């Protein structure tokens, strides 16, 4: 009897191996925190529309139990993706400083656009809207959300003005302007629309004719995750064709606007 019990004890770990092997770790899509688009749990109501679009794509592809979407501040999300801690990242490659030689992003897989994003130069109600970069005087003070990508035109403005503050969110960005701590803000549309809603105020002035940076919001994945990428990308293409993407984006759909400086 004693030998039989010893045999069972030795056999039990082997019997458990198939069950353990089935429980593989989930792949991760990391979303950069963007008000209204990707929310860190508990900070805002809902998960954000980009989160919901990608989660729907996962569910309809049968991958919801194999893939997890997590959200974190943009700087952490980008670094984690570059370090290959995560399979995929959104809102895409244009949120990175591609002049940084340390970034190995040459071979990433790039999905069809979720939406378009545009930087607007926003001023207070008593100020005229900025129609061009030269309208911003050298003595001006600006603010921008930390981790926001900078175009050459934005960097040129930042280099010549008196000071540029980095803040943690578009809500804080708008508050800096309302409290007259800065003269202008660089804000991303559609992200800033949620800041206005959260603060209970109307949109502040900007020119629809001027955007120092326009780019596509996408999902990017590292090579080696082609199956996951293809499944989601096919769904995004389908959502664009059947109107689901437009319906889910609602008022956040930026494809209708075509400011100068548009880039893929």
């Amino acid at each position: 009897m004693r030998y039989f019990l010893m045999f069972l004890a030795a056999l039990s770990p082997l019997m458990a191996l198939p069950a353990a092997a089935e429980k593989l770790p989930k792949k991760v899509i990391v979303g950069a925190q963007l008000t209204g688009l990707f929310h860190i749990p508990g900070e805002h109501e809902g998960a954000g529309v980009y989160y919901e679009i990608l989660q729907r794509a996962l569910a309809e592809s049968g991958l919801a139990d194999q893939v997890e979407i997590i959200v974190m501040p943009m700087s952490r999300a980008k670094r984690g993706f570059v370090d290959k801690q995560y399979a995929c990242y959104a809102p895409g490659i244009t949120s990175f400083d591609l002049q940084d030689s340390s970034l190995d992003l040459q071979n990433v897989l790039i999905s069809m656009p979720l939406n378009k994003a545009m930087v607007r130069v926003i001023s207070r109600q008593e100020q005229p809207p900025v129609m061009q970069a030269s309208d911003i005087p050298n003595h001006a003070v600006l603010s921008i959300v930390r981790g926001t990508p900078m175009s050459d035109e934005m960097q040129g403005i930042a280099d010549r003005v008196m000071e540029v503050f980095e803040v943690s969110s578009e809500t804080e960005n708008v508050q800096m302007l309302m409290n007259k701590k800065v003269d202008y803000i660089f804000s991303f549309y559609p992200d800033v629309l949620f800041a206005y809603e959260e603060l209970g105020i109307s949109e502040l002035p900007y020119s629809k004719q001027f955007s120092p940076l326009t780019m596509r919001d996408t999902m990017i994945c590292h090579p080696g995750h082609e199956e996951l990428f293809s499944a989601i990308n096919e769904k995004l293409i389908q959502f664009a064709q059947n109107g689901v993407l437009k319906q889910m984006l609602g008022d956040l759909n930026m494809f209708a606007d075509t400011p100068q400086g548009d880039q893929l």
Side-chain angles (χ1 to χ4, degrees), residues 238-248:
Q238 180 183 326
F239 291 167
Q241 293 172 342
N242 64 14
V244 166
L245 191 62
K246 182 178 180 180
Q247 179 185 11
M248 293 188 75

mmCIF file of all heavy atoms in Angstrom, residues 238-248:
data_model
loop_
_atom_site.group_PDB
_atom_site.id
_atom_site.type_symbol
_atom_site.label_atom_id
_atom_site.label_comp_id
_atom_site.label_asym_id
_atom_site.label_seq_id
_atom_site.Cartn_x
_atom_site.Cartn_y
_atom_site.Cartn_z
ATOM 1 N N GLN A 238 -13.629 45.370 -42.071
ATOM 2 C CA GLN A 238 -15.056 45.072 -42.140
ATOM 3 C C GLN A 238 -15.876 46.159 -41.459
ATOM 4 O O GLN A 238 -16.901 46.610 -41.998
ATOM 5 C CB GLN A 238 -15.328 43.723 -41.471
ATOM 6 C CG GLN A 238 -16.784 43.302 -41.478
ATOM 7 C CD GLN A 238 -17.000 41.993 -40.730
ATOM 8 O OE1 GLN A 238 -16.152 41.106 -40.745
ATOM 9 N NE2 GLN A 238 -18.137 41.871 -40.066
ATOM 10 N N PHE A 239 -15.420 46.626 -40.276
ATOM 11 C CA PHE A 239 -16.134 47.679 -39.549
ATOM 12 C C PHE A 239 -16.193 48.968 -40.372
ATOM 13 O O PHE A 239 -17.195 49.693 -40.324
ATOM 14 C CB PHE A 239 -15.457 47.963 -38.214
ATOM 15 C CG PHE A 239 -15.565 46.853 -37.199
ATOM 16 C CD1 PHE A 239 -14.779 46.874 -36.048
ATOM 17 C CD2 PHE A 239 -16.431 45.789 -37.390
ATOM 18 C CE1 PHE A 239 -14.867 45.860 -35.117
ATOM 19 C CE2 PHE A 239 -16.529 44.761 -36.460
ATOM 20 C CZ PHE A 239 -15.751 44.799 -35.320
ATOM 21 N N ALA A 240 -15.111 49.260 -41.097
ATOM 22 C CA ALA A 240 -15.096 50.470 -41.931
ATOM 23 C C ALA A 240 -16.066 50.342 -43.095
ATOM 24 O O ALA A 240 -16.719 51.320 -43.483
ATOM 25 C CB ALA A 240 -13.676 50.724 -42.442
ATOM 26 N N GLN A 241 -16.174 49.151 -43.647
ATOM 27 C CA GLN A 241 -17.018 48.940 -44.817
ATOM 28 C C GLN A 241 -18.497 48.863 -44.473
ATOM 29 O O GLN A 241 -19.348 49.318 -45.245
ATOM 30 C CB GLN A 241 -16.584 47.664 -45.549
ATOM 31 C CG GLN A 241 -15.208 47.777 -46.184
ATOM 32 C CD GLN A 241 -14.711 46.458 -46.747
ATOM 33 O OE1 GLN A 241 -15.211 45.373 -46.404
ATOM 34 N NE2 GLN A 241 -13.718 46.518 -47.627
ATOM 35 N N ASN A 242 -18.821 48.288 -43.312
ATOM 36 C CA ASN A 242 -20.240 48.099 -42.982
ATOM 37 C C ASN A 242 -20.811 49.202 -42.092
ATOM 38 O O ASN A 242 -21.959 49.132 -41.668
ATOM 39 C CB ASN A 242 -20.470 46.725 -42.340
ATOM 40 C CG ASN A 242 -19.763 46.553 -41.003
ATOM 41 O OD1 ASN A 242 -19.301 47.512 -40.400
ATOM 42 N ND2 ASN A 242 -19.665 45.303 -40.551
ATOM 43 N N GLY A 243 -20.011 50.231 -41.789
ATOM 44 C CA GLY A 243 -20.495 51.372 -41.034
ATOM 45 C C GLY A 243 -20.376 51.247 -39.526
ATOM 46 O O GLY A 243 -20.707 52.191 -38.800
ATOM 47 N N VAL A 244 -19.883 50.107 -39.034
ATOM 48 C CA VAL A 244 -19.744 49.915 -37.588
ATOM 49 C C VAL A 244 -18.749 50.914 -36.999
ATOM 50 O O VAL A 244 -18.989 51.498 -35.933
ATOM 51 C CB VAL A 244 -19.320 48.466 -37.264
ATOM 52 C CG1 VAL A 244 -18.850 48.344 -35.817
ATOM 53 C CG2 VAL A 244 -20.481 47.518 -37.513
ATOM 54 N N LEU A 245 -17.634 51.123 -37.699
ATOM 55 C CA LEU A 245 -16.605 52.036 -37.197
ATOM 56 C C LEU A 245 -17.166 53.452 -37.060
ATOM 57 O O LEU A 245 -16.991 54.105 -36.017
ATOM 58 C CB LEU A 245 -15.391 52.024 -38.126
ATOM 59 C CG LEU A 245 -14.134 52.721 -37.616
ATOM 60 C CD1 LEU A 245 -13.603 52.056 -36.354
ATOM 61 C CD2 LEU A 245 -13.052 52.720 -38.698
ATOM 62 N N LYS A 246 -17.858 53.909 -38.090
ATOM 63 C CA LYS A 246 -18.453 55.242 -38.052
ATOM 64 C C LYS A 246 -19.473 55.354 -36.926
ATOM 65 O O LYS A 246 -19.525 56.354 -36.202
ATOM 66 C CB LYS A 246 -19.109 55.548 -39.401
ATOM 67 C CG LYS A 246 -19.717 56.933 -39.504
ATOM 68 C CD LYS A 246 -20.310 57.161 -40.891
ATOM 69 C CE LYS A 246 -20.926 58.541 -41.005
ATOM 70 N NZ LYS A 246 -21.512 58.767 -42.364
ATOM 71 N N GLN A 247 -20.269 54.307 -36.755
ATOM 72 C CA GLN A 247 -21.292 54.314 -35.710
ATOM 73 C C GLN A 247 -20.663 54.348 -34.326
ATOM 74 O O GLN A 247 -21.110 55.102 -33.450
ATOM 75 C CB GLN A 247 -22.172 53.071 -35.849
ATOM 76 C CG GLN A 247 -23.257 52.964 -34.792
ATOM 77 C CD GLN A 247 -24.024 51.659 -34.898
ATOM 78 O OE1 GLN A 247 -23.625 50.744 -35.615
ATOM 79 N NE2 GLN A 247 -25.127 51.564 -34.179
ATOM 80 N N MET A 248 -19.614 53.549 -34.108
ATOM 81 C CA MET A 248 -18.988 53.494 -32.791
ATOM 82 C C MET A 248 -18.244 54.788 -32.467
ATOM 83 O O MET A 248 -18.233 55.234 -31.326
ATOM 84 C CB MET A 248 -18.045 52.288 -32.706
ATOM 85 C CG MET A 248 -18.761 50.954 -32.749
ATOM 86 S SD MET A 248 -17.673 49.533 -32.423
ATOM 87 C CE MET A 248 -17.447 49.693 -30.640
#
